Amino acid sequence: MKLVVLANREPIRRVGERYEVALGGLAAALYPAIRARGGVWVAWGPGGLDERIALSRLVVRRVPISERRVAGYYQGYANQALWPLFHLFLKHFRVKRGWWRDYRVVNAAFAEAALEEGGRDALYWVHDYHLSLAPALLREAGARCIGVFWHIPWPPREVLAVLPEAEALVRGLLGADLIGFHTPDYVERFLEAARAWLGARVTEDGVWVGRRFVRVAAFPIGVDVAGLEAARSRVADRAAAIRAAYPGRRILVGADRLDYTKGIPERIRGYRRFLEKYPEWAERVVFLQLTAPSREAVPAYRGLKSQLLRLARATERRYPEAFVHRYAVLSRDELLAHFAAAEFALVTPLRDGMNLVAMEYALVSEGLPLLSRFAGAARYLKGALLVNPYDPEGLADALAEALTLSETERKARRAELLASVKGLDVGNWAEGFLEALSG
Ligand code: ADQ
């Protein structure tokens, strides 16, 4: 069966006049399946162009979306309604009827383009919160094998109730045959939503929609284990150079897209508290926070950016040797070299569907992540040091403890961590999902 992937972002990058498959994350995971079956990736076309780009074994079908609609569908509904609400940030939640109209139109355009590529018999795999209505639209048009993977958390019922279009959203997803989430908690909450909003008959494993059973299950995503292990030796020199730049200091690293869900200012405050409370460490550690710009067209992100940059500058002034903030998208190897150089990673989102940074860090470094309890990954990564990112005092104490961990405990935790991260390979994740869908 031909595989047709629907995702907001395309998996390619421009190199001079040509395009190349950008093999990172999702694209890398799906590439083997696409190669085996032949496949099409339907994505939003930058520049509003309707194009088909054929690369080796992969066709990218770009859905043209006007700038005005991008503002409503993407910057509006997806990023100012669904994203904050589903991460429990009600203060950032905005709603406008026009955004919803754009969201519906774009979902219909994706479904139409996908059907043109795959017909009724393809295997459709829809990704994420930008495209929640596409599964039902595909089904209405006759598609018979539809999967969805939801990459962000699913919120509790009282929170979902804030969304005026909650029912339509749940109905849209239930057009699928299989719905995947990162954790059993999200699965449970989705099942509850289906019961509450549609009065549907629900079992532990799914939802009855009339005579059709929609399976709902946890498929925890992972990272490219072999690729990251191979990166270790490639970035070793660069990592050594980073270490040499901070002689006598133990290195802590943080790396995130700029997003209020990632808890970056809270993390910096926790680190400052640590330096105040345990001043003996101020001469012996350095924290490198690497923040990638993101979603700059959305007002809440502009506010966060100026708040973060102010806090980071003030912290650099106060602790010039012990804190560094870089605000840039780093190349893959540059980022991994920083991971390899660091003894601990501060991975402290306030809420995160899963979180890949903790896993990438685990594979490339010798160290341990201090990981937020509120990341999906906390459920799976044994050996990580779990923290509450809202509590600066707790973060300060956790850091002090981490830095004085015995070698025996560090080793035991590393072993558990590696075993759990290796168990979550992203290639297996994709294969497992597709098998469950088509099997
Ligand atoms: P994201 O919210 O984007 O993903 P995450 O899973 O952490 O979050 O992935 C971020 C990626 O960006 C990582 O691969 C990381 O290495 C990279 N990155 C971070 N800082 C960077 C920097 N300064 N420069 C360059 N690259 C940087 C969404 C959900 C997550 C879920 C994934 C996959 O929000 O919860 O884990 O999808 O389902």
Side-chain angles (χ1 to χ4, degrees):
M1 243 194 258
K2 183 173 180 177
L3 174 62
V4 179
V5 174
L6 290 80
N8 184 55
R9 291 254 178 238
E10 56 188 10
I12 50 178
R13 60 193 179 110
R14 204 178 176 119
V15 183
E17 289 302 293
R18 294 179 305 111
Y19 286 100
E20 269 181 14
V21 185
L23 280 181
L26 266 196
L30 288 172
Y31 205 54
I34 288 171
R35 218 174 0 221
R37 300 163 196 258
V40 182
W41 189 299
V42 181
W44 156 27
L49 296 174
D50 189 359
E51 281 183 277
R52 261 177 125 250
I53 301 167
L55 297 154
S56 53
R57 319 284 306 171
L58 166 73
V59 172
V60 175
R61 169 71 187 270
R62 288 177 156 178
V63 182
I65 309 175
S66 71
E67 261 178 47
R68 196 187 61 70
R69 280 223 202 280
V70 169
Y73 138 82
Y74 179 69
Q75 278 135 24
Y77 201 75
N79 285 341
Q80 294 186 64
L82 296 181
W83 177 271
L85 195 66
F86 280 58
H87 287 89
L88 312 186
F89 280 83
L90 273 85
K91 72 169 178 185
H92 292 307
F93 173 74
R94 303 283 178 276
V95 68
K96 279 190 190 163
R97 288 296 180 271
W99 292 350
W100 171 244
R101 268 196 303 277
D102 290 333
Y103 186 81
R104 279 184 10 220
V105 170
V106 169
N107 270 256
F110 264 82
E112 197 180 316
L115 282 156
E116 264 175 38
E117 297 292 340
R120 297 168 142 228
D121 296 324
L123 205 150
Y124 290 95
W125 193 0
V126 181
H127 286 271
D128 226 357
Y129 63 103
H130 314 89
L131 297 172
S132 61
L133 307 180
L137 295 168
L138 290 167
R139 172 138 335 253
E140 279 160 28
R144 285 179 294 227
C145 190
I146 307 163
V148 191
F149 191 81
W150 192 260
H151 291 260
I152 65 176
W154 191 271
R157 185 170 152 185
E158 300 87 323
V159 176
L160 185 65
V162 171
L163 188 72
E165 300 83 12
E167 184 181 332
L169 202 96
V170 175
R171 275 193 201 287
L173 289 171
L174 287 172
D177 299 282
L178 174 64
I179 306 178
F181 292 94
H182 288 307
T183 72
D185 291 354
Y186 307 155
V187 168
E188 224 172 83
R189 292 188 206 135
F190 177 82
L191 292 174
E192 197 187 332
R195 186 169 38 225
W197 289 96
L198 311 184
R201 188 149 66 84
V202 162
T203 72
E204 263 182 14
D205 311 319
V207 181
W208 284 99
V209 180
R211 290 215 195 125
R212 198 165 56 82
F213 186 69
V214 182
R215 217 182 123 200
V216 184
F219 291 87
I221 203 170
V223 290
D224 173 12
V225 173
L228 285 157
E229 284 182 332
R232 285 179 78 126
S233 53
R234 202 174 63 233
V235 303
D237 288 349
R238 242 191 263 198
I242 294 169
R243 269 188 230 108
Y246 305 100
R249 289 185 185 260
R250 297 172 71 180
I251 300 178
L252 319 171
V253 71
D256 319 72
R257 283 187 308 100
L258 177 77
D259 200 298
Y260 46 83
T261 61
K262 302 290 182 186
I264 309 169
E266 290 78 0
R267 179 184 312 160
I268 296 176
R269 280 189 217 107
Y271 179 63
R272 289 181 67 139
R273 183 72 199 113
F274 161 72
L275 294 178
E276 283 161 18
K277 194 169 176 181
Y278 303 96
E280 65 276 20
W281 282 110
E283 305 289 307
R284 290 154 61 200
V285 292
V286 58
F287 170 31
L288 314 175
Q289 170 61 41
L290 315 168
T291 310
S294 180
R295 303 184 190 171
E296 289 185 323
V298 176
Y301 289 71
R302 286 200 291 270
L304 173 66
K305 175 181 165 186
S306 45
Q307 183 210 349
L308 171 65
L309 294 184
R310 264 198 314 275
L311 176 64
R313 270 195 298 269
T315 310
E316 282 174 334
R317 271 199 302 273
R318 175 87 180 74
Y319 301 103
E321 307 288 323
F323 179 70
V324 177
H325 185 232
R326 274 180 79 182
Y327 183 65
V329 177
L330 302 191
S331 74
R332 189 77 185 142
D333 279 4
E334 183 71 8
L335 183 70
L336 297 181
H338 279 83
F339 287 171
E343 206 178 319
F344 294 98
L346 298 180
V347 190
T348 56
L350 303 176
R351 193 68 52 183
D352 215 333
M354 186 62 151
N355 189 287
L356 302 178
V357 169
M359 302 185 205
E360 295 166 350
Y361 172 76
L363 288 170
V364 168
S365 77
E366 297 287 334
L368 293 172
L370 277 77
L371 176 62
S372 163
R373 302 182 179 286
F374 309 126
R379 186 187 174 94
Y380 298 104
L381 299 196
K382 307 294 174 226
L385 301 157
L386 294 190
V387 294
N388 175 355
Y390 286 92
D391 173 20
E393 200 70 28
L395 199 56
D397 294 342
L399 260 171
E401 265 178 50
L403 286 160
T404 50
L405 216 58
S406 74
E407 190 51 20
T408 325
E409 179 167 359
R410 197 192 65 79
K411 277 199 176 136
R413 284 181 176 272
R414 273 291 300 171
E416 281 187 301
L417 180 69
L418 275 186
S420 40
V421 175
K422 286 181 184 173
L424 292 174
D425 181 71
V426 70
N428 294 341
W429 168 81
E431 223 171 85
F433 186 92
L434 289 170
E435 234 173 71
L437 178 59
S438 56

